[in-house]
């Protein structure tokens, strides 16, 4: 899994990830994602959805992808 922001990217190898959490932002305009490492440290990223309706399209796909790569959590 990778986060990228303004040309800077951070890669998280799946074996080092304890869990991935995601939710809609309070205003419903963005996807908020958190990656928790095995040591308990975590990283967060926010992705703006344009248009806003796209956010609701992402949720079913995220569950499927995360289930494939990280079936235990």
């Amino acid at each position: 899994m990778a986060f990228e922001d303004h040309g800077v990217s951070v890669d998280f190898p799946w074996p080092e990830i304890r869990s991935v959490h995601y939710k809609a932002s309070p205003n419903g305009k963005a996807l908020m994602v958190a990656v928790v490492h095995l040591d308990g440290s975590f990283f967060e990223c926010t992705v703006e959805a344009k248009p806003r309706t796209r956010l609701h399209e992402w949720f079913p796909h995220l569950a499927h992808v995360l289930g494939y790569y990280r079936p235990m959590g």
Side-chain angles (χ1 to χ4, degrees):
M1 177 171 235
F3 288 165
E4 183 175 336
D5 186 24
H6 296 92
V8 176
S9 64
V10 179
D11 293 314
F12 306 103
W14 287 106
E16 296 176 16
I17 296 174
R18 178 184 296 166
S19 60
V20 178
H21 307 275
Y22 59 91
K23 66 180 181 179
S25 64
N27 64 8
K29 293 182 180 180
L31 173 68
M32 300 167 62
V33 181
V35 173
V36 181
H37 280 255
L38 294 175
D39 66 4
S41 62
F42 67 94
F43 297 86
E44 297 175 313
C45 182
T46 301
V47 181
E48 189 174 346
K50 290 184 181 180
R52 183 186 289 202
T53 56
R54 182 164 295 150
L55 180 64
H56 299 288
E57 296 170 8
W58 290 342
F59 278 94
H61 298 290
L62 285 169
H64 176 75
V65 171
L66 291 173
Y68 179 82
Y69 285 103
R70 194 75 187 134
M72 298 176 0

Short mmCIF file of all heavy atoms in Angstrom, two decimals, residues 22-33 46-47 52 55-56 59:
data_model
loop_
_atom_site.label_atom_id
_atom_site.label_comp_id
_atom_site.label_asym_id
_atom_site.label_seq_id
_atom_site.Cartn_x
_atom_site.Cartn_y
_atom_site.Cartn_z
N TYR A 22 -10.65 2.99 7.17
CA TYR A 22 -11.04 4.11 6.32
C TYR A 22 -12.47 4.53 6.64
O TYR A 22 -13.27 3.74 7.14
CB TYR A 22 -10.90 3.75 4.83
CG TYR A 22 -11.72 2.57 4.39
CD1 TYR A 22 -13.01 2.74 3.89
CD2 TYR A 22 -11.21 1.28 4.46
CE1 TYR A 22 -13.77 1.66 3.49
CE2 TYR A 22 -11.95 0.20 4.05
CZ TYR A 22 -13.23 0.40 3.55
OH TYR A 22 -13.98 -0.67 3.15
N LYS A 23 -12.74 5.79 6.37
CA LYS A 23 -14.07 6.35 6.57
C LYS A 23 -14.19 7.63 5.77
O LYS A 23 -13.20 8.19 5.32
CB LYS A 23 -14.34 6.61 8.05
CG LYS A 23 -13.47 7.71 8.65
CD LYS A 23 -13.79 7.93 10.11
CE LYS A 23 -12.93 9.04 10.70
NZ LYS A 23 -13.25 9.29 12.10
N ALA A 24 -15.41 8.09 5.62
CA ALA A 24 -15.65 9.37 4.96
C ALA A 24 -15.30 10.48 5.95
O ALA A 24 -15.48 10.33 7.16
CB ALA A 24 -17.11 9.48 4.53
N SER A 25 -14.82 11.58 5.42
CA SER A 25 -14.55 12.74 6.28
C SER A 25 -15.88 13.27 6.80
O SER A 25 -16.93 12.99 6.23
CB SER A 25 -13.82 13.82 5.49
OG SER A 25 -14.63 14.31 4.44
N PRO A 26 -15.85 14.04 7.88
CA PRO A 26 -17.10 14.57 8.44
C PRO A 26 -17.94 15.36 7.44
O PRO A 26 -19.17 15.31 7.50
CB PRO A 26 -16.63 15.46 9.60
CG PRO A 26 -15.32 14.86 10.01
CD PRO A 26 -14.70 14.37 8.73
N ASN A 27 -17.30 16.05 6.51
CA ASN A 27 -18.06 16.84 5.53
C ASN A 27 -18.46 16.02 4.30
O ASN A 27 -19.12 16.54 3.40
CB ASN A 27 -17.29 18.09 5.11
CG ASN A 27 -16.00 17.78 4.38
OD1 ASN A 27 -15.73 16.65 4.03
ND2 ASN A 27 -15.20 18.80 4.16
N GLY A 28 -18.04 14.75 4.23
CA GLY A 28 -18.42 13.87 3.13
C GLY A 28 -17.72 14.16 1.82
O GLY A 28 -18.11 13.64 0.78
N LYS A 29 -16.66 14.94 1.85
CA LYS A 29 -15.95 15.30 0.63
C LYS A 29 -14.66 14.53 0.42
O LYS A 29 -14.01 14.69 -0.61
CB LYS A 29 -15.61 16.80 0.63
CG LYS A 29 -16.81 17.69 0.56
CD LYS A 29 -16.36 19.14 0.51
CE LYS A 29 -17.54 20.08 0.42
NZ LYS A 29 -17.08 21.49 0.38
N ALA A 30 -14.24 13.72 1.39
CA ALA A 30 -12.94 13.05 1.28
C ALA A 30 -12.98 11.67 1.93
O ALA A 30 -13.82 11.39 2.79
CB ALA A 30 -11.85 13.90 1.93
N LEU A 31 -12.04 10.85 1.52
CA LEU A 31 -11.81 9.54 2.11
C LEU A 31 -10.63 9.66 3.06
O LEU A 31 -9.57 10.15 2.66
CB LEU A 31 -11.50 8.52 1.01
CG LEU A 31 -11.08 7.14 1.45
CD1 LEU A 31 -12.24 6.42 2.11
CD2 LEU A 31 -10.57 6.36 0.24
N MET A 32 -10.81 9.23 4.28
CA MET A 32 -9.74 9.26 5.27
C MET A 32 -9.26 7.82 5.48
O MET A 32 -10.07 6.94 5.76
CB MET A 32 -10.25 9.86 6.58
CG MET A 32 -10.76 11.28 6.41
SD MET A 32 -11.71 11.88 7.82
CE MET A 32 -10.49 11.83 9.11
N VAL A 33 -7.95 7.59 5.30
CA VAL A 33 -7.37 6.25 5.39
C VAL A 33 -6.26 6.26 6.44
O VAL A 33 -5.45 7.19 6.48
CB VAL A 33 -6.77 5.81 4.04
CG1 VAL A 33 -6.19 4.40 4.14
CG2 VAL A 33 -7.81 5.88 2.93
N THR A 46 -5.62 11.65 3.55
CA THR A 46 -6.96 12.07 3.15
C THR A 46 -6.96 12.30 1.65
O THR A 46 -6.07 12.95 1.11
CB THR A 46 -7.36 13.37 3.88
OG1 THR A 46 -7.30 13.14 5.29
CG2 THR A 46 -8.75 13.81 3.51
N VAL A 47 -7.96 11.72 0.98
CA VAL A 47 -8.08 11.84 -0.47
C VAL A 47 -9.41 12.52 -0.77
O VAL A 47 -10.47 12.02 -0.40
CB VAL A 47 -8.05 10.45 -1.14
CG1 VAL A 47 -8.16 10.59 -2.65
CG2 VAL A 47 -6.81 9.69 -0.74
N ARG A 52 -18.17 14.69 -5.28
CA ARG A 52 -18.43 14.10 -3.96
C ARG A 52 -19.06 12.71 -4.07
O ARG A 52 -18.78 11.83 -3.25
CB ARG A 52 -19.33 15.02 -3.16
CG ARG A 52 -19.61 14.54 -1.76
CD ARG A 52 -20.61 15.39 -1.05
NE ARG A 52 -20.04 16.68 -0.74
CZ ARG A 52 -20.50 17.46 0.21
NH1 ARG A 52 -21.53 17.10 0.92
NH2 ARG A 52 -19.93 18.61 0.45
N LEU A 55 -17.01 9.36 -3.79
CA LEU A 55 -16.64 8.78 -2.49
C LEU A 55 -17.46 7.52 -2.21
O LEU A 55 -16.92 6.50 -1.79
CB LEU A 55 -16.84 9.81 -1.38
CG LEU A 55 -16.50 9.36 0.03
CD1 LEU A 55 -15.02 9.04 0.15
CD2 LEU A 55 -16.88 10.44 1.02
N HIS A 56 -18.75 7.56 -2.49
CA HIS A 56 -19.61 6.40 -2.24
C HIS A 56 -19.32 5.26 -3.20
O HIS A 56 -19.58 4.10 -2.88
CB HIS A 56 -21.07 6.82 -2.30
CG HIS A 56 -21.41 7.85 -1.28
ND1 HIS A 56 -21.49 7.57 0.07
CD2 HIS A 56 -21.62 9.18 -1.40
CE1 HIS A 56 -21.76 8.67 0.73
NE2 HIS A 56 -21.84 9.68 -0.14
N PHE A 59 -16.13 3.01 -1.66
CA PHE A 59 -16.23 2.15 -0.49
C PHE A 59 -16.35 0.66 -0.81
O PHE A 59 -15.62 -0.14 -0.24
CB PHE A 59 -17.35 2.61 0.44
CG PHE A 59 -16.92 3.73 1.33
CD1 PHE A 59 -17.13 5.06 0.96
CD2 PHE A 59 -16.27 3.48 2.52
CE1 PHE A 59 -16.72 6.10 1.78
CE2 PHE A 59 -15.85 4.52 3.34
CZ PHE A 59 -16.07 5.82 2.96
#
